Amino acid sequence: MASENNVTTESYFPDGMPLPAPMPDGLDAPFWEGARSHTLLVQRCNPCGTFQFGPEWICHKCRSNDIGWARCSGRGKIYAFERVWHPVHKALRDKGPYLVALVELPDVGNVRMVGNLLGDPQQDVAIGDAVEVVWEDHQDVTLVQWRRLPVK
Ligand SMILES: [Zn+2]
């Protein structure tokens, strides 16, 4: 379980960059509610137990629409990453480089989440590096960010 050391109120997003937000149809509402209380949730199919993320209305394995949510430890490993040098939004014009990671979560069926990798954007990063969640609290939403754990 993530400790309160894993909380930041410092925004990784520059002014002018819209924050991610829940979808209006409510499909991902449990994910965002979990994040608000610093609990990382992914979907788990109730009949067959398959984990999935991002949220879907049906299970991608058995096609049941009886989908629940499961708690993840917030620890994972880097499956892939990208050091972004070219801004994809005008608010990022002078913010590069920055790191984007695809994080694999072994305790919830190895589902993967895309997120920002915090810290020095020029840090050495390797596939398989251990990471943990960092909660970025904003007024209306809490974002899921990631940081590398020290190599043992
Ligand atoms: Zn299923």
Side-chain angles (χ1 to χ4, degrees):
M1 187 53 50
S3 74
E4 290 306 302
N5 292 334
N6 293 36
V7 178
T8 181
T9 54
E10 182 180 329
S11 179
Y12 192 76
F13 283 69
D15 290 342
M17 183 85 186
L19 292 172
M23 291 190 279
D25 62 11
L27 173 62
D28 60 358
F31 169 81
W32 291 103
E33 290 163 10
R36 200 65 181 157
S37 60
H38 301 164
T39 301
L40 189 60
L41 298 177
V42 301
Q43 284 186 321
R44 182 174 54 202
C45 174
N46 289 322
C48 83
T50 298
F51 294 98
Q52 60 185 18
F53 191 86
E56 307 268 0
W57 291 111
I58 63 170
C59 171
H60 63 78
K61 185 174 183 188
C62 75
R63 301 181 192 219
S64 168
N65 60 7
D66 180 11
I67 305 290
W69 292 82
R71 182 184 292 234
C72 172
S73 67
R75 294 280 178 107
K77 60 185 179 182
I78 293 178
Y79 181 85
F81 70 96
E82 176 79 36
R83 199 177 321 265
V84 181
W85 291 88
H86 300 285
V88 295
H89 188 279
K90 61 185 177 184
L92 295 169
R93 183 173 297 130
D94 300 317
K95 302 296 181 185
Y98 57 92
L99 286 163
V100 177
L102 181 59
V103 174
E104 190 170 78
L105 300 167
D107 64 341
V108 285
N110 291 320
V111 298
R112 299 174 191 142
M113 288 187 185
V114 176
N116 294 304
L117 191 62
L118 304 183
D120 181 354
Q122 306 259 28
Q123 65 187 286
D124 287 331
V125 181
I127 304 299
D129 280 356
V131 294
E132 66 180 356
V133 69
V134 177
W135 305 105
E136 184 179 309
D137 286 326
H138 291 263
Q139 185 170 349
D140 298 323
V141 70
T142 295
L143 303 182
V144 174
Q145 308 282 23
W146 300 93
R147 72 175 165 214
R148 287 173 58 242
L149 291 168
V151 177
K152 292 178 180 168

mmCIF file of all heavy atoms in Angstrom, residues 110-133:
data_model
loop_
_atom_site.group_PDB
_atom_site.id
_atom_site.type_symbol
_atom_site.label_atom_id
_atom_site.label_comp_id
_atom_site.label_asym_id
_atom_site.label_seq_id
_atom_site.Cartn_x
_atom_site.Cartn_y
_atom_site.Cartn_z
ATOM 1 N N ASN A 110 -0.973 -8.265 -14.544
ATOM 2 C CA ASN A 110 -0.056 -7.628 -15.491
ATOM 3 C C ASN A 110 -0.739 -6.647 -16.438
ATOM 4 O O ASN A 110 -0.268 -6.417 -17.553
ATOM 5 C CB ASN A 110 0.748 -8.663 -16.299
ATOM 6 C CG ASN A 110 1.752 -9.403 -15.432
ATOM 7 O OD1 ASN A 110 2.390 -8.809 -14.569
ATOM 8 N ND2 ASN A 110 1.867 -10.699 -15.650
ATOM 9 N N VAL A 111 -1.852 -6.056 -15.998
ATOM 10 C CA VAL A 111 -2.431 -4.995 -16.824
ATOM 11 C C VAL A 111 -1.451 -3.830 -16.849
ATOM 12 O O VAL A 111 -0.560 -3.722 -15.992
ATOM 13 C CB VAL A 111 -3.812 -4.526 -16.322
ATOM 14 C CG1 VAL A 111 -4.814 -5.656 -16.369
ATOM 15 C CG2 VAL A 111 -3.727 -3.881 -14.961
ATOM 16 N N ARG A 112 -1.584 -2.961 -17.810
ATOM 17 C CA ARG A 112 -0.638 -1.863 -18.002
ATOM 18 C C ARG A 112 -1.360 -0.524 -18.016
ATOM 19 O O ARG A 112 -2.476 -0.421 -18.522
ATOM 20 C CB ARG A 112 0.133 -2.058 -19.312
ATOM 21 C CG ARG A 112 0.928 -3.349 -19.310
ATOM 22 C CD ARG A 112 1.573 -3.623 -20.654
ATOM 23 N NE ARG A 112 2.096 -4.988 -20.657
ATOM 24 C CZ ARG A 112 2.058 -5.801 -21.711
ATOM 25 N NH1 ARG A 112 1.546 -5.383 -22.859
ATOM 26 N NH2 ARG A 112 2.542 -7.017 -21.623
ATOM 27 N N MET A 113 -0.668 0.478 -17.462
ATOM 28 C CA MET A 113 -1.181 1.846 -17.451
ATOM 29 C C MET A 113 -0.124 2.781 -18.014
ATOM 30 O O MET A 113 1.056 2.630 -17.716
ATOM 31 C CB MET A 113 -1.454 2.313 -16.011
ATOM 32 C CG MET A 113 -2.634 1.691 -15.359
ATOM 33 S SD MET A 113 -2.944 2.498 -13.756
ATOM 34 C CE MET A 113 -4.269 1.432 -13.196
ATOM 35 N N VAL A 114 -0.572 3.752 -18.776
ATOM 36 C CA VAL A 114 0.319 4.801 -19.272
ATOM 37 C C VAL A 114 0.329 5.940 -18.264
ATOM 38 O O VAL A 114 -0.709 6.291 -17.711
ATOM 39 C CB VAL A 114 -0.165 5.332 -20.634
ATOM 40 C CG1 VAL A 114 0.704 6.496 -21.107
ATOM 41 C CG2 VAL A 114 -0.163 4.225 -21.666
ATOM 42 N N GLY A 115 1.508 6.488 -18.006
ATOM 43 C CA GLY A 115 1.575 7.617 -17.093
ATOM 44 C C GLY A 115 2.881 8.364 -17.217
ATOM 45 O O GLY A 115 3.793 7.947 -17.936
ATOM 46 N N ASN A 116 2.964 9.460 -16.508
ATOM 47 C CA ASN A 116 4.201 10.227 -16.458
ATOM 48 C C ASN A 116 5.155 9.593 -15.461
ATOM 49 O O ASN A 116 4.738 9.116 -14.408
ATOM 50 C CB ASN A 116 3.919 11.671 -16.022
ATOM 51 C CG ASN A 116 3.096 12.415 -17.036
ATOM 52 O OD1 ASN A 116 3.473 12.506 -18.196
ATOM 53 N ND2 ASN A 116 1.960 12.928 -16.613
ATOM 54 N N LEU A 117 6.431 9.589 -15.792
ATOM 55 C CA LEU A 117 7.463 9.139 -14.869
ATOM 56 C C LEU A 117 8.102 10.397 -14.288
ATOM 57 O O LEU A 117 8.737 11.172 -15.007
ATOM 58 C CB LEU A 117 8.484 8.271 -15.605
ATOM 59 C CG LEU A 117 9.476 7.510 -14.744
ATOM 60 C CD1 LEU A 117 8.759 6.519 -13.824
ATOM 61 C CD2 LEU A 117 10.470 6.758 -15.630
ATOM 62 N N LEU A 118 7.916 10.594 -12.980
ATOM 63 C CA LEU A 118 8.383 11.811 -12.327
ATOM 64 C C LEU A 118 9.891 11.755 -12.095
ATOM 65 O O LEU A 118 10.518 10.712 -12.198
ATOM 66 C CB LEU A 118 7.645 11.998 -10.998
ATOM 67 C CG LEU A 118 6.120 12.025 -11.073
ATOM 68 C CD1 LEU A 118 5.530 12.287 -9.690
ATOM 69 C CD2 LEU A 118 5.621 13.053 -12.074
ATOM 70 N N GLY A 119 10.448 12.893 -11.738
ATOM 71 C CA GLY A 119 11.873 12.983 -11.457
ATOM 72 C C GLY A 119 12.632 13.589 -12.622
ATOM 73 O O GLY A 119 12.044 14.124 -13.561
ATOM 74 N N ASP A 120 13.948 13.486 -12.538
ATOM 75 C CA ASP A 120 14.808 14.046 -13.571
ATOM 76 C C ASP A 120 14.446 13.456 -14.938
ATOM 77 O O ASP A 120 14.517 12.243 -15.124
ATOM 78 C CB ASP A 120 16.265 13.708 -13.220
ATOM 79 C CG ASP A 120 17.257 14.262 -14.239
ATOM 80 O OD1 ASP A 120 16.836 14.815 -15.282
ATOM 81 O OD2 ASP A 120 18.470 14.122 -13.985
ATOM 82 N N PRO A 121 14.065 14.292 -15.897
ATOM 83 C CA PRO A 121 13.672 13.750 -17.198
ATOM 84 C C PRO A 121 14.825 13.095 -17.956
ATOM 85 O O PRO A 121 14.592 12.384 -18.925
ATOM 86 C CB PRO A 121 13.132 14.967 -17.948
ATOM 87 C CG PRO A 121 13.717 16.145 -17.254
ATOM 88 C CD PRO A 121 13.931 15.747 -15.829
ATOM 89 N N GLN A 122 16.056 13.328 -17.505
ATOM 90 C CA GLN A 122 17.218 12.709 -18.162
ATOM 91 C C GLN A 122 17.739 11.512 -17.369
ATOM 92 O O GLN A 122 18.803 10.974 -17.671
ATOM 93 C CB GLN A 122 18.336 13.749 -18.304
ATOM 94 C CG GLN A 122 17.886 15.011 -19.006
ATOM 95 C CD GLN A 122 18.309 15.068 -20.456
ATOM 96 O OE1 GLN A 122 18.469 14.046 -21.109
ATOM 97 N NE2 GLN A 122 18.484 16.255 -20.970
ATOM 98 N N GLN A 123 16.990 11.082 -16.347
ATOM 99 C CA GLN A 123 17.432 9.938 -15.547
ATOM 100 C C GLN A 123 17.562 8.690 -16.416
ATOM 101 O O GLN A 123 16.890 8.552 -17.434
ATOM 102 C CB GLN A 123 16.434 9.675 -14.410
ATOM 103 C CG GLN A 123 15.055 9.236 -14.905
ATOM 104 C CD GLN A 123 14.021 9.135 -13.790
ATOM 105 O OE1 GLN A 123 14.050 8.217 -13.004
ATOM 106 N NE2 GLN A 123 13.095 10.113 -13.749
ATOM 107 N N ASP A 124 18.469 7.793 -15.974
ATOM 108 C CA ASP A 124 18.600 6.511 -16.659
ATOM 109 C C ASP A 124 17.365 5.677 -16.340
ATOM 110 O O ASP A 124 17.006 5.508 -15.177
ATOM 111 C CB ASP A 124 19.847 5.768 -16.174
ATOM 112 C CG ASP A 124 21.127 6.404 -16.711
ATOM 113 O OD1 ASP A 124 21.067 6.999 -17.811
ATOM 114 O OD2 ASP A 124 22.159 6.304 -16.036
ATOM 115 N N VAL A 125 16.727 5.166 -17.373
ATOM 116 C CA VAL A 125 15.527 4.336 -17.212
ATOM 117 C C VAL A 125 15.757 3.057 -17.996
ATOM 118 O O VAL A 125 16.335 3.091 -19.091
ATOM 119 C CB VAL A 125 14.265 5.052 -17.753
ATOM 120 C CG1 VAL A 125 13.029 4.185 -17.559
ATOM 121 C CG2 VAL A 125 14.076 6.405 -17.069
ATOM 122 N N ALA A 126 15.329 1.932 -17.434
ATOM 123 C CA ALA A 126 15.463 0.654 -18.137
ATOM 124 C C ALA A 126 14.148 -0.110 -18.072
ATOM 125 O O ALA A 126 13.392 0.013 -17.096
ATOM 126 C CB ALA A 126 16.582 -0.177 -17.508
ATOM 127 N N ILE A 127 13.899 -0.901 -19.098
ATOM 128 C CA ILE A 127 12.757 -1.803 -19.085
ATOM 129 C C ILE A 127 12.881 -2.697 -17.853
ATOM 130 O O ILE A 127 13.968 -3.222 -17.573
ATOM 131 C CB ILE A 127 12.739 -2.677 -20.364
ATOM 132 C CG1 ILE A 127 12.736 -1.809 -21.619
ATOM 133 C CG2 ILE A 127 11.560 -3.640 -20.344
ATOM 134 C CD1 ILE A 127 11.572 -0.884 -21.773
ATOM 135 N N GLY A 128 11.805 -2.859 -17.113
ATOM 136 C CA GLY A 128 11.816 -3.707 -15.927
ATOM 137 C C GLY A 128 12.083 -2.962 -14.633
ATOM 138 O O GLY A 128 11.939 -3.541 -13.553
ATOM 139 N N ASP A 129 12.478 -1.688 -14.710
ATOM 140 C CA ASP A 129 12.696 -0.920 -13.481
ATOM 141 C C ASP A 129 11.421 -0.904 -12.640
ATOM 142 O O ASP A 129 10.312 -0.754 -13.158
ATOM 143 C CB ASP A 129 13.077 0.531 -13.806
ATOM 144 C CG ASP A 129 14.536 0.688 -14.190
ATOM 145 O OD1 ASP A 129 15.288 -0.309 -14.142
ATOM 146 O OD2 ASP A 129 14.926 1.819 -14.543
ATOM 147 N N ALA A 130 11.625 -1.025 -11.323
ATOM 148 C CA ALA A 130 10.492 -0.983 -10.401
ATOM 149 C C ALA A 130 10.009 0.454 -10.227
ATOM 150 O O ALA A 130 10.814 1.389 -10.142
ATOM 151 C CB ALA A 130 10.895 -1.565 -9.056
ATOM 152 N N VAL A 131 8.696 0.626 -10.177
ATOM 153 C CA VAL A 131 8.091 1.940 -9.986
ATOM 154 C C VAL A 131 6.976 1.837 -8.953
ATOM 155 O O VAL A 131 6.474 0.752 -8.660
ATOM 156 C CB VAL A 131 7.507 2.508 -11.306
ATOM 157 C CG1 VAL A 131 8.611 2.787 -12.317
ATOM 158 C CG2 VAL A 131 6.463 1.592 -11.897
ATOM 159 N N GLU A 132 6.618 2.981 -8.397
ATOM 160 C CA GLU A 132 5.468 3.049 -7.498
ATOM 161 C C GLU A 132 4.631 4.256 -7.867
ATOM 162 O O GLU A 132 5.123 5.234 -8.430
ATOM 163 C CB GLU A 132 5.898 3.118 -6.041
ATOM 164 C CG GLU A 132 6.646 4.385 -5.671
ATOM 165 C CD GLU A 132 7.070 4.427 -4.215
ATOM 166 O OE1 GLU A 132 6.713 3.507 -3.463
ATOM 167 O OE2 GLU A 132 7.764 5.386 -3.854
ATOM 168 N N VAL A 133 3.368 4.151 -7.485
ATOM 169 C CA VAL A 133 2.428 5.217 -7.802
ATOM 170 C C VAL A 133 2.721 6.447 -6.944
ATOM 171 O O VAL A 133 3.179 6.341 -5.805
ATOM 172 C CB VAL A 133 0.973 4.715 -7.601
ATOM 173 C CG1 VAL A 133 0.659 4.494 -6.123
ATOM 174 C CG2 VAL A 133 -0.028 5.676 -8.218
#
